[in-house]
Amino acid sequence: MFISNNACSVPTSFWLTGIPGLESRHIWLSIPFGSMYLAAVVGNVTILAVIKVEHSLHQPMYFFLCMLAVIDLVLSTSTIPKLLAIFWFEAHHIGLDACLVQMFFVHCFATVESGIFLAMAFDRYVAICDPLHHTSVLTHAVVGRLGLAALLRGVLYIGPLPLLIRLRLRLYRTQVIAHSYCEHMAVVTVACGDTRINNLYGMGIGFLVLILDSLAIAASYVMIFRAVLGLATPDARLKTLGTCGSHICAILVFYIPIAVSSLTHRFGHRVPPHIHILLANFYLLIPPILNPVVYAVRTKQIRERLLHVIKAGTQPR
């Protein structure tokens, strides 16, 4: 329902278009999206189960991996079930408050995930540059505090986004949001009135999270590489760098889709709308799918435990 006020109205709900321009293919798009979501859930739940039962994996790096798995489950679950409901049941409507809650979860947990990658970079730095003190520095309590700090930072950074919309932007030109979920800029774009504060705050948070976190991670790896180059033999260097391989792959899987999606959204004015929306969905799906694969393939303990479970399941009884 809308209360008319000239060209602008007060909404109680919004209409999510799904993938604009591809409405006739929604049922077919549900197949890859549903499959990717299922793969993300199965992969991350498997990682959580393996780390829980394998006591040799109760180490800082794997505790951070558990945090990543939980975050990826939250990120994908906050958007994909609604997207599948649009594809299957034409369930386009979403209440205003539900929209703001979805916005908070998407942006908050993306920020938390960036913070966890930063904490993992610190873990690798201590493990390689100061290995004798790794267990005393990265205790279970410290790992828990780093995870809590990443969560609190996400809440503090992103909490004002939906509040600014709720308090400042009451009128909207349309209730139709040309997106598959309530992304901040997609909602602000259809609002009436002065949106400069909302835009500036959103851009500022993006700078703080993506740019500063990536610079801090890059700085930690510069120091790691310097320490590795000081090792005596090539085999020792390769072995030491191998412990960072999974983390580097996960970082690239996370930051590259976000960077591509953000750049396309802000500067790709000639890019078709459905490409924007597909990229925005992929950056919420690709990390949850690939993170478990990367760590399962590159981490010997996880790989061996998974193979043991698979062999036990296929043996005749």
Side-chain angles (χ1 to χ4, degrees):
M1 294 291 293
F2 278 70
I3 301 173
S4 179
N5 183 24
N6 295 329
C8 297
S9 306
V10 179
T12 58
S13 66
F14 290 111
W15 175 279
L16 296 171
T17 59
I19 312 296
L22 298 178
E23 287 85 356
S24 62
R25 302 177 185 177
H26 275 180
I27 194 65
W28 296 107
L29 287 172
S30 69
I31 298 173
F33 275 100
S35 301
M36 287 189 289
Y37 177 61
L38 180 62
V41 171
V42 171
N44 285 286
V45 170
T46 301
I47 289 292
L48 289 170
V50 168
I51 293 175
K52 180 181 179 180
V53 301
E54 186 61 55
H55 292 287
S56 65
L57 298 178
H58 292 181
Q59 303 173 29
M61 183 175 75
Y62 302 108
F63 289 140
F64 287 129
L65 179 56
C66 284
M67 295 178 194
L68 279 184
V70 172
I71 293 166
D72 285 339
L73 286 171
V74 173
L75 273 175
S76 54
T77 302
S78 64
T79 58
I80 302 304
K82 178 61 179 178
L83 178 62
L84 293 176
I86 293 173
F87 288 164
W88 291 336
F89 310 115
E90 299 291 329
H92 293 273
H93 276 101
I94 184 170
L96 175 60
D97 291 334
C99 180
L100 296 179
V101 169
Q102 185 185 54
M103 178 194 302
F104 172 78
F105 272 90
V106 169
H107 294 295
C108 176
F109 280 89
T111 302
V112 175
E113 183 155 358
S114 183
I116 296 300
F117 280 126
L118 184 57
M120 294 175 79
F122 175 67
D123 169 63
R124 291 299 85 202
Y125 166 76
V126 176
I128 293 172
C129 298
D130 193 9
L132 297 178
H133 295 93
H134 182 244
T135 55
S136 60
V137 173
L138 270 297
T139 62
H140 290 182
V142 170
V143 171
R145 291 191 192 104
L146 289 173
L148 181 60
L151 177 61
L152 290 177
R153 187 187 73 151
V155 172
L156 290 174
Y157 278 9
I158 303 303
L161 280 181
L163 288 177
L164 285 172
I165 290 176
R166 198 75 166 94
L167 297 175
R168 296 190 72 255
L169 305 178
R170 298 180 180 275
L171 301 175
Y172 293 82
R173 289 187 295 275
T174 176
Q175 74 178 114
V176 178
I177 297 177
H179 212 295
S180 61
Y181 61 88
C182 290
E183 194 268 340
H184 175 250
M185 286 306 301
V187 176
V188 171
T189 299
V190 298
C192 298
D194 186 0
T195 62
R196 285 178 296 179
I197 293 177
N198 302 76
N199 290 328
L200 289 173
Y201 188 83
M203 291 176 63
I205 293 302
F207 174 81
L208 285 173
V209 174
L210 294 179
I211 305 300
L212 295 187
D213 282 8
S214 59
L215 288 176
I217 292 171
S220 70
Y221 270 98
V222 168
M223 291 184 282
I224 288 171
F225 291 145
R226 288 178 61 185
V228 168
L229 291 175
L231 296 175
T233 65
D235 288 341
R237 295 171 190 166
L238 288 174
K239 184 177 180 181
T240 304
L241 284 176
T243 64
C244 301
S246 300
H247 183 230
I248 294 173
C249 291
I251 288 172
L252 294 176
V253 164
F254 177 73
Y255 283 107
I256 290 177
I258 288 182
V260 171
S261 178
S262 298
L263 290 173
T264 303
H265 182 77
R266 294 195 178 276
F267 303 109
H269 303 297
R270 296 184 180 179
V271 177
H274 64 271
I275 299 297
H276 287 288
I277 310 307
L278 288 172
L279 287 174
N281 280 281
F282 286 153
Y283 94 69
L284 295 178
L285 268 176
I286 290 175
I289 293 171
L290 292 186
N291 282 343
V293 174
V294 167
Y295 279 93
V297 170
R298 296 192 58 87
T299 305
K300 181 180 178 182
Q301 295 96 320
I302 295 178
R303 186 170 63 249
E304 289 179 347
R305 184 69 186 185
L306 285 174
L307 291 174
H308 175 74
V309 171
I310 293 171
K311 288 179 181 178
T314 56
Q315 286 178 352
R317 299 180 181 179

